[in-house]
Amino acid sequence: MIKYLQLQMQGNAYLKCVNPKCGLEYPIMSTNVQCENGHVLDVIYKNKPSPDLKETFYERRDSKGNIFNESGVWRFRDLLNFCQIDTEDNDECSKYLVSLDGAEGRQSKPYQMSKAAEFLGINKEGLWLQPEGYNPSGSFKDNGMVTAVTHAKMVGAKKIVCASTGNTSASAGMFAANEGIKCDVYIPAGQIAPGKLSQAYQFGAQIIQVEGNFDDALKQSLDDAKNYDGYTVNSVNPFRIEGQKTIPFRALEYLNWESPDWIIYPGGALGNTSSCGKALMELYQWGWIKKIPRIAVINSDGASTLSDLYNGEFEDEELRWNKGNPNTELISRYYDHLDKEKLRPKTKATAIQIGRPANIIKGLRALEFTNGVVTTVSDSEMLDGMSVVGLNGFDCEMASGASVAGIKKLMGEGIIKKDDVVVGILTGRQKDAMIPVDYHSNPQNVFANPPKK
Ligand SMILES: [Zn+2]
């Protein structure tokens, strides 16, 4: 702790409210996830990292026995250096940085998948799909969880806390077990199929059932964290966003830091959209990239909050970042409307079955900066997307199929062009064994391969 406090004195990294008119600042050791006025926070770095680091990152791919070079997150540690360390030494790094022996992000990079390209009718050299399901807990969440748990360790937290119905609890439970700290997972009572929590159980997390819906579970987890000395690792935690920046970092590195035309994400809580936006803003500001890729966020038809608001489908107003002052009353009225009409988010792609995206404000900033677009796809389109990824020898969950389906839809609308360079993020590995079985058993489906008698 003493060493951290000394480091903190240097003050090269700190927290700052994202609202430009408010702009309150907090020391890096703060565990606030919001400013006093209820706005979300960013991690800010005073130093401008030199583009020479591109060479360092490349050299670290030969890890020389350093697990933090093996890690696809910590290999880029200089660009998320909230611990403010400056060392290549494995033992020194391990005093600060959390890692599952370098496994997080290690296998995730963009791949060319010719069958997916053929299905989409896009130039196959221009299509890159990046499977984040090959993270140790099976989803992209590990990228941001290592950084959040690193911060938890930095502030001496004994327990991490999250509300989750799936991937987040798996990732939190895994890193907590590995670090020897406790993990509480809040879920709405009686609404979650126990199978979705099997990894959390396996990693020894304590499941806490809350009467109400997911939002109630999240609220209680935030309150309990505050009152009983827990550390919140939901994606409202700004340190989660820092680790998730390495998803676009890895994509860009494999493209020799030449920006693609598009980066495509399934849209759930919008932590990915937010982190990609922040990564691109920083790289552009530091002069590492000259062109800003456009972000496309793909909602499910049945959980389309961002698409409805961004595309003006609610009260005819297109919700925008608006220089840091998005119309939050419009968002509140939309949520009231969902409650009043008893409209619950509904899709079989449970990873993006989210009605109130926790990172909507930062998501809007990302869309503004990248001239982004938002659209929706159906469950059956997502299943086709998921299945064609499988035919290339890569496993992904249904929500990840939204990236492929979204590219198809946007190409159909002439927004993405055949010759564009496109990176689609495949957010997680298949965790529901019956989804592909059911898909392939039905001969009506595009890629179905039913069993023979
Ligand atoms: Zn503020």
Side-chain angles (χ1 to χ4, degrees), residues 37-95:
N37 299 316
H39 309 124
V40 285
L41 303 173
D42 266 336
V43 181
I44 303 284
Y45 305 99
K46 281 186 190 162
N47 294 346
K48 181 179 162 187
S50 160
D52 293 346
L53 282 166
K54 289 176 183 174
E55 194 58 36
T56 306
F57 299 155
Y58 187 76
E59 283 166 10
R60 285 179 186 159
R61 285 207 225 167
D62 176 5
S63 70
K64 301 191 170 67
N66 183 335
I67 63 162
F68 303 98
N69 291 347
E70 244 181 78
S71 164
V73 174
W74 294 122
R75 194 154 58 80
F76 299 99
R77 54 190 174 271
D78 314 74
L79 304 190
L80 35 142
N81 195 9
F82 57 85
C83 292
Q84 299 169 68
I85 56 171
D86 181 14
T87 174
E88 291 295 308
D89 183 72
N90 188 79
D91 294 342
E92 193 60 20
C93 283
S94 65
K95 286 183 196 160

Side-chain angles (χ1 to χ4, degrees), residues 48 61 150 171 343 361 406 449:
K48 181 179 162 187
R61 285 207 225 167
T150 293
S171 185
L343 296 168
I361 302 297
N449 187 11

Side-chain angles (χ1 to χ4, degrees), residues 111-117 119 127 129 131 134 381-398 400-402 404-405 426 428-430 435-437 439-440 447-449:
Y111 291 87
Q112 293 191 317
M113 300 192 193
S114 58
K115 283 176 185 148
F119 171 60
L127 177 71
L129 296 172
Y134 295 166
E381 289 167 324
M382 276 187 262
L383 287 167
D384 290 341
M386 176 196 85
S387 302
V388 78
V389 167
L391 297 180
N392 292 272
F394 290 88
D395 186 22
C396 73
E397 68 179 0
M398 183 172 165
S400 303
V404 180
L426 307 172
R429 192 164 62 212
Q430 185 63 259
I435 286 181
V437 174
Y439 179 88
H440 283 283
F447 299 104
N449 187 11

Side-chain angles (χ1 to χ4, degrees), residues 17 19 22-23 35 37 39:
C17 164
N19 184 306
C22 175
C35 80
N37 299 316
H39 309 124

Side-chain angles (χ1 to χ4, degrees), residues 29-327:
M29 300 293 277
S30 165
T31 55
N32 294 352
V33 295
Q34 288 186 335
C35 80
E36 279 139 63
N37 299 316
H39 309 124
V40 285
L41 303 173
D42 266 336
V43 181
I44 303 284
Y45 305 99
K46 281 186 190 162
N47 294 346
K48 181 179 162 187
S50 160
D52 293 346
L53 282 166
K54 289 176 183 174
E55 194 58 36
T56 306
F57 299 155
Y58 187 76
E59 283 166 10
R60 285 179 186 159
R61 285 207 225 167
D62 176 5
S63 70
K64 301 191 170 67
N66 183 335
I67 63 162
F68 303 98
N69 291 347
E70 244 181 78
S71 164
V73 174
W74 294 122
R75 194 154 58 80
F76 299 99
R77 54 190 174 271
D78 314 74
L79 304 190
L80 35 142
N81 195 9
F82 57 85
C83 292
Q84 299 169 68
I85 56 171
D86 181 14
T87 174
E88 291 295 308
D89 183 72
N90 188 79
D91 294 342
E92 193 60 20
C93 283
S94 65
K95 286 183 196 160
Y96 306 93
L97 310 180
V98 168
S99 175
L100 198 86
D101 204 31
E104 59 286 341
R106 184 168 60 200
Q107 282 182 284
S108 92
K109 59 174 187 169
Y111 291 87
Q112 293 191 317
M113 300 192 193
S114 58
K115 283 176 185 148
E118 199 181 307
F119 171 60
L120 294 171
I122 196 168
N123 179 10
K124 74 171 191 280
E125 278 78 40
L127 177 71
W128 299 88
L129 296 172
Q130 183 163 319
E132 290 295 326
Y134 295 166
N135 271 288
S137 82
S139 84
F140 76 93
K141 306 275 184 182
D142 294 345
N143 290 288
M145 200 57 76
V146 277
T147 42
V149 180
T150 293
H151 187 251
K153 194 167 122 175
M154 196 168 149
V155 300
K158 300 277 180 287
K159 180 170 80 177
I160 61 170
V161 170
C162 66
S164 166
T165 59
N167 288 333
T168 299
S169 65
S171 185
M174 183 185 73
F175 286 111
N178 201 243
E179 286 298 316
I181 56 177
K182 289 182 179 159
C183 176
D184 287 352
V185 175
Y186 287 70
I187 59 162
Q191 290 177 32
I192 307 302
K196 294 203 67 189
L197 290 162
S198 66
Q199 286 177 289
Y201 279 109
Q202 168 72 0
F203 297 130
Q206 178 63 56
I207 311 291
I208 296 169
Q209 296 183 317
V210 178
E211 289 303 326
N213 58 25
F214 180 81
D215 298 321
D216 299 317
L218 178 61
K219 190 177 175 303
Q220 192 172 332
S221 83
L222 293 169
D223 289 349
D224 285 3
K226 212 177 235 173
N227 297 333
Y228 305 111
D229 215 15
Y231 180 96
T232 295
V233 296
N234 276 96
S235 68
V236 289
N237 177 322
F239 296 91
R240 281 276 303 276
I241 302 298
E242 290 308 292
Q244 280 172 219
K245 292 191 307 191
T246 63
I247 298 172
F249 290 165
R250 289 191 295 273
L252 283 162
E253 187 190 49
Y254 277 86
L255 299 176
N256 294 315
W257 299 96
E258 282 175 24
S259 296
D261 297 296
W262 293 93
I263 301 180
I264 320 289
Y265 283 102
L270 303 176
N272 264 330
T273 310
S274 303
S275 58
C276 185
K278 185 170 189 278
L280 296 173
M281 284 163 70
E282 289 174 342
L283 292 175
Y284 188 77
Q285 192 192 328
W286 297 334
W288 284 45
I289 55 169
K290 297 280 174 279
K291 186 179 106 177
I292 302 166
R294 297 179 72 183
I295 292 178
V297 180
I298 317 300
N299 275 161
S300 149
D301 282 344
S304 56
T305 297
L306 182 68
S307 178
D308 292 348
L309 289 169
Y310 193 74
N311 295 319
E313 283 156 26
F314 179 71
E315 293 187 5
D316 292 323
E317 179 179 338
E318 293 180 348
L319 181 67
R320 288 293 182 275
W321 168 243
N322 189 27
K323 301 190 176 107
N325 291 292
N327 188 349

